[in-house]
Amino acid sequence: MRVLRNIGLLATCRADGGQAEIHPLREAALAWEDGQIEWIGPEAQLPARYRDARSFDAAGRLVAPGLVDCHTHLAFAGWRADEFEQRIRGRSYLEIARSGGGILSTVHATRDASEEQLFERCRHFLDDILPLGVTTIECKSGYGLSREQELKLLRVYRALSEAGPARIVPTLLAAHVVPPEYRNDREGYVELVVREIIPQAAAEGLARCCDAFLEESAFTYGEAERILEAGREAGLLPKLHADQLSDGGGARLAATLRAVSADHLEHISDEGIQAIADKGVVAVSLPIATLVTNQHPLPARRLIERGVAVAVATDFNPGTAPSYHLPFALSLACSLQRMTPAEALKGATIHAARAVGLEDQVGSLEPGKVADFAVIDAPSVEQWLYHIRANACVATVIGGQVVAGELATAF
Ligand code: NIG
Ligand code: FE
């Protein structure tokens, strides 16, 4: 048994209530055993059975659920700083993609990298990510684009998951773009994804979710629908890169498929908002990508008003979001998307957990859930997300174990 005492503010982030309702407790304590939360409440009401438990002192700080980054493309080789400069000079993301750069340039580099090299690189990224208070990371394939290469990326994620301590949620994104070998045979690539890549990834237990990029430069509505349906038949939860650079009806498709999430949504239509509201699809906002691609943000206020759960994630990738700093993404969600700090926090905890189908295990601090939490050096959520710091998190705990920073022992 372990107890964290003297918590100034405990943001439980339970699912019920609206986006802004993070169900905070003041002067609280949190008790856990064997990696699971046993009790939370006002410290004055801590049950007598915890009197002799080993205890830690939060020094009046803020404690939040371990953050869930529900959208990343973690495994890739190389970077694309040259394109960053080209875009600054006025070339668009789509122009660069059409001339063979963009996603395809990362595909070439990633195909040349070994599983071990990619594993090491991801481990270094995770060494930076966990100290930020992030405990669960969704990781997409999508820079392999062949059976062997997509499975290689998913195996990197399996190895990371086995190595611990981060909780990795692997997503198959074989439908990222059509690979060069199939430029004149799109149908052939869709067939390969549906008949070989999805069944094998599912049979080997290598993926939890299946994603597709529905966009002019990537896959059509019909192709994405076919791929995500095949994924669902194989037991993979559907997700969709939707309405990022144009309105391609992506939100509507996500609703029709009852996807766990529709992501990006900068160009979502009114009809799309209503469709995902009706079907309970989580809208994943990716403000770093919005900023880097210089677009207008998704209409977070309209989504929230219609009752859509809005998650916030980094989209970490070498093209549109070269940062895995989730707290920074939360600050951006406030300023760009006009979400309040509490709304943004709910977006990176319980709503993000829903976006990967793990809301029963992670994303909120409640008895029975895993003991994943972050101790933040701030008196309030507002102060935390307002003051954009290198890192305000002083300790990250996964499954009851401190994995970054430290917890001060109480006496
Ligand atoms: O989420 N939209 C598609 N995929 C990524 C970009 C990947 C890349 O540019 O390498 C995204 O923004
Ligand atoms: Fe993405």
Side-chain angles (χ1 to χ4, degrees), residues 121-143:
R121 196 158 192 250
C122 289
R123 252 191 14 163
H124 282 114
F125 291 153
L126 290 171
D127 286 345
D128 280 354
I129 292 171
L130 298 191
L132 299 169
V134 178
T135 53
T136 299
I137 302 120
E138 187 259 10
C139 301
K140 302 177 195 297
S141 66
Y143 293 117

Side-chain angles (χ1 to χ4, degrees), residues 141-382:
S141 66
Y143 293 117
L145 309 184
S146 71
R147 187 166 58 88
E148 284 307 303
Q149 294 281 349
E150 285 293 302
L151 294 173
K152 175 180 84 176
L153 295 175
L154 293 177
R155 289 198 183 101
V156 169
Y157 297 143
R158 180 162 65 191
L160 290 169
S161 175
E162 286 171 0
R167 296 186 199 277
I168 303 289
V169 182
T171 294
L172 175 66
L173 177 59
H176 200 183
V177 286
V178 176
E181 313 80 81
Y182 285 90
R183 196 173 291 131
N184 301 315
D185 182 19
R186 305 175 59 87
E187 173 64 20
Y189 186 64
V190 173
E191 282 286 306
L192 176 74
V193 173
V194 165
R195 294 195 193 280
E196 294 189 35
I197 306 181
I198 289 174
Q200 191 170 345
E204 292 187 31
L206 284 167
R208 175 174 182 81
C209 312
C210 186
D211 197 344
F213 185 18
L214 167 48
E215 193 61 60
E216 242 174 81
S217 57
F219 292 87
T220 65
Y221 188 104
E223 290 165 345
E225 183 174 35
R226 198 165 155 225
I227 287 162
L228 294 183
E229 262 171 5
R232 192 175 41 199
E233 269 164 39
L236 308 180
L237 300 173
K239 295 173 86 63
L240 189 64
H241 278 69
D243 307 331
Q244 179 185 13
L245 306 167
S246 59
D247 174 14
R252 182 162 36 97
L253 176 56
T256 308
L257 292 165
R258 289 183 184 267
V260 282
S261 73
D263 303 38
H264 287 287
L265 305 177
E266 283 91 337
H267 294 268
I268 190 172
S269 63
D270 251 345
E271 177 210 346
I273 295 177
Q274 197 53 52
I276 60 171
D278 290 345
K279 295 289 191 287
V281 177
V282 177
V284 178
S285 66
L286 303 163
I288 298 175
T290 303
L291 182 73
V292 171
T293 55
N294 204 9
Q295 298 199 84
H296 58 76
L298 92 175
R301 292 262 49 97
R302 275 194 287 143
L303 287 158
I304 291 168
E305 273 160 26
R306 302 255 194 113
V308 176
V310 178
V312 183
T314 62
D315 195 19
F316 176 53
N317 75 73
T320 61
S323 170
Y324 37 63
H325 202 303
L326 184 53
F328 175 57
L330 296 183
S331 296
L332 284 181
C334 299
S335 300
L336 291 181
Q337 298 169 188
R338 296 181 46 234
M339 291 171 73
T340 65
E343 287 175 336
L345 177 60
K346 199 154 177 181
T349 53
I350 193 65
H351 287 347
R354 253 184 73 193
V356 291
L358 284 180
E359 66 274 28
D360 293 342
Q361 295 164 49
V362 302
S364 64
L365 296 172
E366 299 175 73
K369 286 209 161 178
V370 297
D372 288 9
F373 56 89
V375 182
I376 308 293
D377 181 29
S380 65
V381 179
E382 290 71 25

